[in-house]
Amino acid sequence: MLLTFDLSTRSRVILHCIALFTMLAYGLHHVINEIALLGYLLLASTCLLSVSLFYIYKNNHSLLPLKLFSVTITIAIIVTCYYLGMRGIIFVFPLITSYFYSFPLKLAVPIAIVASVLSLLASLHIVDSVTVLRLAVALTFNVFFITSIAHLVYVQQKVLLKEAREDHLTGIANRRCFHELLTQALIEGKKLNTIVALLYMDLDNFKAVNDNHGHNIGDLVLQEASLRLQSCIRDDDAVYQLEDINPKEHVARLGGDEFAIIIKNLNSINGINEVIGRILHKMNAPYIIDGLDLHCHASIGMAWNKDKDSTPEILMHQADTAMYKAKQNRKTGYHTFSI
């Protein structure tokens, strides 16, 4: 996970422009007057920074130009350390910090260590060994403290991401996350020309459980329903978890007693019947909670991307409509949306 600043687009553009014109001027100076190699590296970095500026202007947050910029500026600073000694070492400290905003934490730490070592070794060409040793101690503490702070931020971001995407009661995806997953599934389905099916389910008589036995029992029913739904998924498929960003199927709690499942990569809609049968069989079994024998039969509405330009909103509306039709047909417990 990368560390991020919450800067406005205007602020990022201004910072990019300041860095861009500074490096351009310094690069041209070295090409004309001093170290040509360093000048060309700075000019290359300027070009990459220009590309990054273009992406920001287009509101496209691509990290590739930023990563390439970090690589070229690293080489430039190592060259500076070789030819100019302390004038290069000064720039190593902010360079180390920049790695944690360009690369994942696990990659930023070894890159920072390698860059520091190479810069110090290069500076031995001019700087005496005692000074280099003192600088090595300073850089070690710098890497240690930045890594510690970055790790704390990483942990906080992970917790916030989990809270933003995960249902607090059941631990599966929430409505917001599910919308993102459905959007991505429809994009993939359109690209691969495959079927994406959406199952919209709720528990009949759940309100009666809450009214008669309290919300604590109702919460336990919802947790059990979530576990049952997850067990209905094929063994070779994966239920959505934060650690797994490419599952074949996704389960979510949309709110209250409403759940949804995405099933994608289907070549035929007929294959969905087996999944629906497993879900109804499991969900219609009694819920034995705190000695209570509770019955909350499931109603499932199904819609799929007949039109390859289907949007998440359209599919959700269709599946929701089909679910209410299913409630009226207690024999089957499910209904497929049809125009």
Side-chain angles (χ1 to χ4, degrees):
M1 183 179 292
L2 305 182
L3 304 183
T4 56
F5 279 131
D6 187 17
L7 293 175
S8 65
T9 300
R10 181 180 179 183
S11 298
R12 288 199 295 264
V13 169
I14 292 174
L15 290 173
H16 268 67
C17 288
I18 292 173
L20 191 150
F21 289 116
T22 301
M23 284 197 303
L24 179 61
Y26 199 53
L28 290 173
H29 166 73
H30 275 283
V31 168
I32 297 171
N33 299 317
E34 294 191 43
I35 307 167
L37 175 60
L38 175 59
Y40 289 126
L41 286 170
L42 289 172
L43 291 179
S45 299
T46 303
C47 293
L48 290 170
L49 201 58
S50 301
V51 175
S52 180
L53 180 61
F54 173 78
Y55 276 117
I56 290 176
Y57 180 75
K58 293 295 184 179
N59 201 29
N60 184 336
H61 302 287
S62 174
L63 291 174
L64 180 58
L66 184 59
K67 291 178 179 179
L68 293 175
F69 170 73
S70 298
V71 172
T72 57
I73 204 68
T74 298
I75 298 172
I77 289 176
I78 293 173
V79 171
T80 304
C81 291
Y82 181 81
Y83 286 104
L84 304 177
M86 290 294 295
R87 288 167 62 184
I89 293 294
I90 292 172
F91 292 104
V92 176
F93 290 89
L95 177 68
I96 290 173
T97 305
S98 71
Y99 293 140
F100 292 87
Y101 297 92
S102 305
F103 301 97
L105 182 59
K106 292 181 179 180
L107 187 59
V109 175
I111 290 177
I113 294 172
V114 170
S116 300
V117 171
L118 291 178
S119 299
L120 291 170
L121 291 176
S123 67
L124 281 171
H125 181 64
I126 292 181
V127 183
D128 62 276
S129 58
V130 176
T131 303
V132 170
L133 183 60
R134 292 174 178 173
L135 290 170
V137 174
L139 284 172
T140 300
F141 279 107
N142 189 47
V143 172
F144 174 76
F145 284 119
I146 293 175
T147 302
S148 300
I149 294 172
H151 179 69
L152 289 175
V153 175
Y154 168 78
V155 171
Q156 290 175 349
Q157 286 182 335
K158 191 173 182 180
V159 171
L160 291 173
L161 178 64
K162 184 176 181 180
E163 291 178 352
R165 298 172 64 84
E166 188 176 281
D167 177 59
H168 71 281
L169 180 64
T170 60
I172 57 179
N174 60 19
R175 178 180 288 272
R176 175 182 176 182
C177 178
F178 190 75
H179 186 275
E180 295 175 6
L181 294 170
L182 182 56
T183 300
Q184 185 60 38
L186 289 173
I187 292 173
E188 293 175 5
K190 184 177 181 180
K191 184 185 300 183
L192 301 175
N193 197 30
T194 55
I195 294 172
V196 177
L198 172 63
L199 305 184
Y200 202 114
M201 185 200 82
D202 82 346
L203 302 176
D204 299 334
N205 303 323
F206 179 74
K207 185 178 184 301
V209 171
N210 267 340
D211 293 342
N212 296 330
H213 304 288
H215 290 280
N216 290 337
I217 296 298
D219 288 347
L220 292 175
V221 169
L222 292 175
Q223 290 172 348
E224 174 64 22
S226 168
L227 293 175
R228 292 185 184 186
L229 269 180
Q230 294 179 60
S231 68
C232 291
I233 307 304
R234 292 192 299 268
D235 292 338
D236 59 341
D237 288 342
V239 176
Y240 168 75
Q241 298 293 339
L242 286 175
E243 294 78 15
D244 189 355
I245 59 174
N246 292 311
K248 294 179 181 177
E249 299 184 1
H250 309 291
V251 179
R253 178 180 173 227
L254 303 182
D257 62 332
E258 295 182 343
F259 294 85
I261 301 175
I262 301 171
I263 302 177
K264 59 183 185 179
N265 299 328
L266 293 171
N267 294 318
S268 171
I269 199 61
N270 296 328
I272 199 67
N273 293 330
E274 180 186 349
V275 179
I276 293 176
R278 283 203 305 270
I279 293 174
L280 288 173
H281 177 74
K282 287 249 185 182
M283 303 307 292
N284 291 340
Y287 291 80
I288 310 300
I289 296 176
D290 286 355
L292 299 171
D293 187 359
L294 306 173
H295 295 265
C296 295
H297 295 289
S299 295
I300 299 176
M302 194 269 282
W304 53 285
N305 57 337
K306 298 177 183 178
D307 181 359
K308 296 306 177 183
D309 292 324
S310 294
T311 64
E313 290 76 18
I314 291 175
L315 218 58
M316 290 285 284
H317 175 71
Q318 292 175 345
D320 186 36
T321 301
M323 182 194 68
Y324 282 102
K325 290 284 187 180
K327 283 182 174 294
Q328 300 170 7
N329 186 0
R330 293 293 182 89
K331 292 183 179 180
T332 60
Y334 76 94
H335 184 81
T336 300
F337 179 82
S338 58
I339 301 175

